[in-house]
Amino acid sequence: MKIKVLILAIMTISWSYAQKSFKKSDVYGKYKLALNLTDVIESENDDMSLLEEIIVTSITKSIDRVSNEYVSIIFDFRNNNTLLVSIKVKDEEEENEHIRWKLNNNKIYIDDSDNDDLNVKINSGEGYWILENKNLVKYGKDGTKVNGVSLIRI
């Protein structure tokens, strides 16, 4: 009986890891950067006083609202390991930059290190992205999920 339970447990674990596997072609397409500074700040500052937390939260929520209304950053993953990043600020001309990306062990690495023209540093050589429910979720180089930063498929 114990052997049957052990085999069932191993098969279940193996199956759950197999479900996370994806191909490069699963990544192709456009994604909108979803940046929520409130989540980023809340996950980084556990030792704030109540007053500090109220002030920081109100400021970051205002910034989130304004940035969502006025700034749009779109990522277009293409089949030749290029990534077109389009940055559109309201009432300004859209900026487009090409950078490289690669898939390695179900982790997506975006390499923006060679592009000095790109005004928004996306990865800075740290961390990776994982495809979860058709969206890309940011992880730090230590393997922890980065709160408040994701790419939503459009």
Side-chain angles (χ1 to χ4, degrees), residues 16 60 70 94 96 129 136 154:
S16 68
T60 56
Y70 292 96
E94 182 175 270
N96 293 305
W129 301 80
L136 295 174
I154 53 175

PDB file of all heavy atoms in Angstrom, residues 16 60 70 94 96 129 136 154:
ATOM      1  N   SER A  16       2.410  17.544 -12.397  1.00  0.00           N
ATOM      2  CA  SER A  16       2.234  18.977 -12.133  1.00  0.00           C
ATOM      3  C   SER A  16       3.394  19.778 -12.702  1.00  0.00           C
ATOM      4  O   SER A  16       3.209  20.876 -13.193  1.00  0.00           O
ATOM      5  CB  SER A  16       2.066  19.250 -10.636  1.00  0.00           C
ATOM      6  OG  SER A  16       3.265  18.984  -9.945  1.00  0.00           O
ATOM      7  N   THR A  60       1.511  55.965  -4.091  1.00  0.00           N
ATOM      8  CA  THR A  60       1.702  54.954  -5.139  1.00  0.00           C
ATOM      9  C   THR A  60       0.412  54.661  -5.888  1.00  0.00           C
ATOM     10  O   THR A  60       0.445  54.410  -7.089  1.00  0.00           O
ATOM     11  CB  THR A  60       2.294  53.648  -4.564  1.00  0.00           C
ATOM     12  OG1 THR A  60       1.461  53.169  -3.513  1.00  0.00           O
ATOM     13  CG2 THR A  60       3.708  53.854  -4.073  1.00  0.00           C
ATOM     14  N   TYR A  70      -1.758  57.312 -18.836  1.00  0.00           N
ATOM     15  CA  TYR A  70      -0.903  58.071 -19.739  1.00  0.00           C
ATOM     16  C   TYR A  70       0.235  57.284 -20.393  1.00  0.00           C
ATOM     17  O   TYR A  70       0.818  57.756 -21.353  1.00  0.00           O
ATOM     18  CB  TYR A  70      -0.309  59.272 -19.008  1.00  0.00           C
ATOM     19  CG  TYR A  70      -1.354  60.296 -18.668  1.00  0.00           C
ATOM     20  CD1 TYR A  70      -1.965  60.331 -17.421  1.00  0.00           C
ATOM     21  CD2 TYR A  70      -1.778  61.222 -19.617  1.00  0.00           C
ATOM     22  CE1 TYR A  70      -2.946  61.262 -17.118  1.00  0.00           C
ATOM     23  CE2 TYR A  70      -2.752  62.157 -19.334  1.00  0.00           C
ATOM     24  CZ  TYR A  70      -3.335  62.166 -18.077  1.00  0.00           C
ATOM     25  OH  TYR A  70      -4.306  63.083 -17.785  1.00  0.00           O
ATOM     26  N   GLU A  94       5.193  57.480 -30.339  1.00  0.00           N
ATOM     27  CA  GLU A  94       5.539  56.152 -29.821  1.00  0.00           C
ATOM     28  C   GLU A  94       7.009  55.849 -30.081  1.00  0.00           C
ATOM     29  O   GLU A  94       7.541  56.147 -31.147  1.00  0.00           O
ATOM     30  CB  GLU A  94       4.661  55.105 -30.497  1.00  0.00           C
ATOM     31  CG  GLU A  94       4.887  53.700 -30.017  1.00  0.00           C
ATOM     32  CD  GLU A  94       3.911  52.729 -30.635  1.00  0.00           C
ATOM     33  OE1 GLU A  94       2.834  52.523 -30.061  1.00  0.00           O
ATOM     34  OE2 GLU A  94       4.223  52.204 -31.721  1.00  0.00           O
ATOM     35  N   ASN A  96       9.827  52.762 -30.369  1.00  0.00           N
ATOM     36  CA  ASN A  96       9.941  51.324 -30.587  1.00  0.00           C
ATOM     37  C   ASN A  96      11.397  50.916 -30.517  1.00  0.00           C
ATOM     38  O   ASN A  96      12.254  51.564 -31.127  1.00  0.00           O
ATOM     39  CB  ASN A  96       9.373  50.938 -31.959  1.00  0.00           C
ATOM     40  CG  ASN A  96       7.888  51.144 -32.024  1.00  0.00           C
ATOM     41  OD1 ASN A  96       7.145  50.623 -31.212  1.00  0.00           O
ATOM     42  ND2 ASN A  96       7.437  51.933 -32.985  1.00  0.00           N
ATOM     43  N   TRP A 129      11.194  35.549 -16.555  1.00  0.00           N
ATOM     44  CA  TRP A 129       9.735  35.564 -16.654  1.00  0.00           C
ATOM     45  C   TRP A 129       9.260  34.137 -16.887  1.00  0.00           C
ATOM     46  O   TRP A 129       9.946  33.352 -17.541  1.00  0.00           O
ATOM     47  CB  TRP A 129       9.298  36.440 -17.821  1.00  0.00           C
ATOM     48  CG  TRP A 129       9.748  37.864 -17.722  1.00  0.00           C
ATOM     49  CD1 TRP A 129      10.983  38.358 -18.031  1.00  0.00           C
ATOM     50  CD2 TRP A 129       8.976  38.978 -17.295  1.00  0.00           C
ATOM     51  NE1 TRP A 129      11.021  39.709 -17.815  1.00  0.00           N
ATOM     52  CE2 TRP A 129       9.808  40.118 -17.364  1.00  0.00           C
ATOM     53  CE3 TRP A 129       7.666  39.128 -16.862  1.00  0.00           C
ATOM     54  CZ2 TRP A 129       9.361  41.385 -17.019  1.00  0.00           C
ATOM     55  CZ3 TRP A 129       7.221  40.399 -16.519  1.00  0.00           C
ATOM     56  CH2 TRP A 129       8.067  41.509 -16.593  1.00  0.00           C
ATOM     57  N   LEU A 136       2.789  36.596 -18.579  1.00  0.00           N
ATOM     58  CA  LEU A 136       4.163  36.421 -18.140  1.00  0.00           C
ATOM     59  C   LEU A 136       4.334  37.067 -16.769  1.00  0.00           C
ATOM     60  O   LEU A 136       3.978  38.225 -16.571  1.00  0.00           O
ATOM     61  CB  LEU A 136       5.134  37.042 -19.146  1.00  0.00           C
ATOM     62  CG  LEU A 136       5.140  36.356 -20.519  1.00  0.00           C
ATOM     63  CD1 LEU A 136       6.027  37.119 -21.492  1.00  0.00           C
ATOM     64  CD2 LEU A 136       5.607  34.917 -20.399  1.00  0.00           C
ATOM     65  N   ILE A 154      -2.406  40.437 -24.661  1.00  0.00           N
ATOM     66  CA  ILE A 154      -3.495  41.230 -25.262  1.00  0.00           C
ATOM     67  C   ILE A 154      -3.853  40.660 -26.623  1.00  0.00           C
ATOM     68  O   ILE A 154      -3.133  39.901 -27.198  1.00  0.00           O
ATOM     69  CB  ILE A 154      -3.145  42.729 -25.376  1.00  0.00           C
ATOM     70  CG1 ILE A 154      -1.814  42.937 -26.104  1.00  0.00           C
ATOM     71  CG2 ILE A 154      -3.070  43.344 -24.004  1.00  0.00           C
ATOM     72  CD1 ILE A 154      -1.487  44.399 -26.352  1.00  0.00           C
TER      73      ILE A 154
END
